[in-house]
Amino acid sequence: MNRWIAGIAFSGLLTVGLSANAGTCTAGSFTDPDATVTNSTSCGPGYLNDANDSAAEITALVGGGDWDLINRVNAPGSTSGVLHTTGLNPAGSSGDWAFNAVAGFSSYLLVIKDGSVKNPDQPNNSADTISWFWFVIDMSAGCSSGSFSGSYDYCGSWSMYGNDGKLKSISHLTLYGLDTDGDDDEDVPEPGSLALLGLGLLGLGAARRRRV
């Protein structure tokens, strides 16, 4: 299994009445790749297995309860859904992230997936090949830095590098939440989907009234 390292750097002073210090966590293998997320408290590697990260793998690796998938972003400049990003391919392999709190979750976690690792059948890949990294979000940090500053509940920046010091290709960023209500909240509906659901329920109610 590939060895990996994780380091957390804290900045600022702890002052009575203010939030705890914001941290930056860097997770990396001794080979390739490594990733950094600001306003995160802990981080670690995810392994190839079925190629992509999943709620089951996050729950097994991180623990603390059941982690559910909230939103996955594959395209640059996400402006819909819960997770908002800048810098995803083809725009680059570093950028900013932001999201608002979602009911039913007590903690949040961000995953950065290496775009160059596809599946266990590729040459030199195996189930223990590092394919992605997870970062537990520092909820005390709020949203006070980066291009999303002041616009969301939580925000920060992210990057992923290869062992040659160059930015790597990124497959996607994924937001997970620690489930506190025991419900299966995986794949939280988009706002547009909720609106359509509401219209459907109104139509159903009207049809029932006509039959009475």
Side-chain angles (χ1 to χ4, degrees):
M1 181 176 293
N2 290 326
R3 294 182 297 171
W4 63 277
I5 55 175
I8 304 175
F10 292 95
S11 60
L13 298 175
L14 183 61
T15 305
V16 176
L18 297 179
S19 298
N21 297 334
T24 296
C25 195
T26 297
S29 68
F30 285 98
T31 54
D32 185 28
D34 64 66
T36 298
V37 168
T38 64
N39 295 341
S40 62
T41 61
S42 58
C43 54
Y47 301 99
L48 191 59
N49 295 324
D50 60 354
N52 286 333
D53 51 289
S54 67
E57 288 186 277
I58 293 296
T59 297
L61 282 171
V62 182
D66 292 328
W67 291 87
D68 293 339
L69 187 152
I70 297 176
N71 195 195
R72 177 166 289 158
V73 177
N74 295 25
S78 167
T79 57
S80 63
V82 179
L83 178 61
H84 297 259
T85 65
T86 66
L88 285 182
N89 290 340
S93 299
S94 65
D96 295 323
W97 57 268
F99 62 91
N100 285 321
V102 179
F105 298 105
S106 60
S107 299
Y108 301 93
L109 180 150
L110 193 67
V111 163
I112 304 177
K113 168 67 169 59
D114 182 357
S116 64
V117 180
K118 304 298 184 183
N119 57 64
D121 297 327
Q122 283 188 321
N124 303 319
N125 287 343
S126 63
D128 62 357
T129 297
I130 293 177
S131 172
W132 42 274
F133 291 105
W134 56 264
F135 300 82
V136 175
I137 299 304
D138 183 356
M139 297 175 66
S140 70
C143 183
S144 58
S145 62
S147 59
F148 295 114
S149 178
S151 300
Y152 295 88
D153 293 335
Y154 311 106
C155 67
S157 61
W158 65 273
S159 64
M160 178 178 276
Y161 288 80
N163 60 357
D164 56 359
K166 296 181 180 179
L167 289 169
K168 291 187 66 63
S169 63
I170 303 298
S171 170
H172 56 257
L173 265 64
T174 311
L175 179 67
Y176 291 87
L178 186 61
D179 192 348
T180 58
D181 57 16
D183 296 333
D184 184 6
D185 297 309
E186 188 163 340
D187 292 318
V188 174
E190 304 288 347
S193 300
L194 293 174
L196 290 174
L197 176 61
L199 290 174
L201 291 175
L202 288 174
L204 180 61
R208 286 179 175 174
R209 286 194 296 271
R210 285 195 297 270
R211 287 198 296 268
V212 175

